[in-house]
Amino acid sequence: MELLYKAQTRFLFHAHIKIKISAFYEDDIFDELYTVLEDIDKKYNSYQPDSYIDRINKHAGHFVEVDDETVKILGQVINFCDYFDGTYDITIMPLLRLWGFYKDRQRGIPSSEELIAAKKLIDYRRIEIEGNRVRIAEGQEIITGSFIKAFAVDKLVEKMANIDITDAIINAGGSTIRAINNESHPAWQVIARNPDDEQLLFNLDISNQCFSTSSQDKTFVNIEGIKYGHILNPKTGFPSTTKQIGIISDSCMVGDILSTALFNETAEGFLQKADMLAPYFTFEGFIIDENNRMTCTKGFDALAHHL
């Protein structure tokens, strides 16, 4: 029997988010589902004026009253920062601004002095949490881009479970794809592409899991004809030379954070970090380095059909 679906796409978190569900449901259920995403976007997205994170950033140097969810989110992300010893840091915004990612004017490569000054502001360990109050140091700025969209999708999956939606797929900007499956439809097939030439890499069978990707091809600054990607290394101050990371995980938030945090690793470091994290998180993945070489974790090939 052919399964029939309906879908809607709305723009949130600077991305087109498509929800595809069984055609059995009435159209007004999409409003209920997107409300989950809209609420998180409004409250916790650092880019949204007057979100809790925006208030923390605007009042850097002073404690700001926040809700329980903000404390929980920051606590989870700070734990990830600890795992990566400074190569993943949610206070990296001053460095992103320095490279020109949030300015209209074209700029050159930052000077050594500028990089040193910006790097002094990047230190997640200076985020202070006391009860429901949060303070960052003067000049610091938290950016939620590597995790808040994925956090929202995880919350949406919880909502779907509560209202008994058991067959669906959520595509959040192409970088976060979450499959929801049941016995009638045991897996969704997702295609992974090379970011350089859009060549097909493989098909993935995803079952009640998330496929998260990060790459440098979509967001970059062009300086003297050279593209510099938006995923920066807080230690060097320069963009990572990795081409792409792909992660299959049970949690979108875990997958999205790892796909960013592992970007500053070599292929060897990628595998070492994967082994180190294996006792804490269930995931498989691949890295494509600057020379277009792909390296995969041990269990990834079982999920991928190479093309």
Side-chain angles (χ1 to χ4, degrees):
M1 184 181 71
E2 184 181 358
L3 299 171
L4 299 176
Y5 298 91
K6 60 173 60 175
Q8 277 194 20
T9 302
R10 301 186 188 180
F11 193 76
L12 291 157
F13 303 99
H14 299 279
H16 289 98
I17 300 182
K18 181 179 182 179
I19 300 173
K20 187 175 183 179
I21 57 176
S22 169
F24 168 81
Y25 295 97
E26 297 294 331
D27 284 354
D28 59 6
I29 198 170
F30 285 109
D31 290 335
E32 187 177 349
L33 298 175
Y34 279 106
T35 295
V36 175
L37 303 178
E38 289 163 358
D39 184 59
I40 293 169
D41 187 31
K42 181 180 178 181
K43 289 182 178 177
Y44 310 111
N45 188 348
S46 60
Y47 298 107
Q48 286 289 6
D50 206 39
S51 70
Y52 285 113
I53 306 299
D54 181 60
R55 291 181 212 170
I56 294 167
N57 289 339
K58 292 278 175 56
H59 296 88
H62 304 277
F63 274 105
V64 173
E65 199 77 25
V66 299
D67 66 355
D68 291 342
E69 196 76 273
T70 304
V71 172
K72 182 180 176 182
I73 292 169
L74 289 177
Q76 287 177 311
V77 180
I78 287 168
N79 283 339
F80 277 100
C81 293
D82 284 336
Y83 286 126
F84 286 90
D85 191 31
T87 57
Y88 172 69
D89 195 312
I90 59 169
T91 63
I92 198 170
M93 187 58 117
L95 197 55
L96 286 164
R97 291 192 185 281
L98 178 62
W99 274 90
F101 284 101
Y102 296 91
K103 296 181 185 295
D104 293 330
R105 66 186 179 89
Q106 194 74 12
R107 60 170 303 122
I109 296 173
S111 68
S112 298
E113 292 75 19
E114 289 175 316
L115 288 172
I116 290 169
K119 286 193 291 182
K120 285 180 179 177
L121 299 172
I122 300 168
D123 186 355
Y124 72 92
R125 291 164 295 192
R126 296 169 76 185
I127 300 172
E128 299 175 71
I129 302 174
E130 292 185 0
N132 278 72
R133 301 191 311 151
V134 178
R135 178 171 66 185
I136 58 177
E138 284 188 32
Q140 284 196 306
E141 193 174 352
I142 294 172
I143 178 172
T144 60
S146 63
F147 62 85
I148 201 61
K149 178 181 65 174
F151 172 80
V153 174
D154 283 334
K155 289 296 183 183
L156 176 56
V157 172
E158 290 178 16
K159 173 71 173 180
M160 287 177 157
N162 289 338
I163 58 178
D164 204 30
I165 293 177
T166 61
D167 183 14
I169 190 162
I170 305 155
N171 186 333
S175 60
T176 307
I177 301 174
R178 179 55 156 89
I180 298 170
N181 297 93
N182 56 27
E183 290 182 2
S184 300
H185 186 194
W188 285 90
Q189 194 172 83
V190 176
I191 294 174
R193 298 177 183 272
N194 188 308
D196 278 349
D197 54 18
E198 288 297 302
Q199 181 183 349
L200 301 183
L201 295 173
F202 33 68
N203 287 325
L204 301 170
D205 289 328
I206 307 295
S207 179
N208 292 310
Q209 290 178 306
C210 183
F211 178 52
S212 303
T213 56
S214 292
S215 65
Q216 298 279 46
D217 64 312
K218 296 279 192 304
T219 307
F220 56 86
V221 290
N222 193 314
I223 301 174
E224 297 180 1
I226 299 174
K227 294 179 179 179
Y228 294 88
H230 70 296
I231 301 176
L232 307 178
N233 187 327
K235 290 193 170 182
T236 67
F238 278 82
S240 168
T241 56
T242 295
K243 294 284 186 68
Q244 186 178 22
I245 298 274
I247 300 291
I248 297 173
S249 61
D250 296 333
S251 157
C252 295
M253 189 170 177
V254 168
D256 274 30
I257 289 176
L258 290 181
S259 73
T260 301
L262 289 164
F263 223 86
N264 288 312
E265 300 291 338
T266 61
E268 182 183 13
F270 174 82
L271 294 178
Q272 289 174 346
K273 276 289 196 300
D275 286 342
M276 182 197 80
L277 294 166
Y280 310 104
F281 308 105
T282 302
F283 72 96
E284 300 291 345
F286 68 89
I287 182 173
I288 299 176
D289 67 16
E290 61 184 313
N291 298 312
N292 232 29
R293 288 190 299 247
M294 182 187 296
T295 303
C296 302
T297 58
K298 295 173 186 174
F300 185 79
D301 279 340
L303 304 170
H305 305 292
H306 290 266
L307 300 173

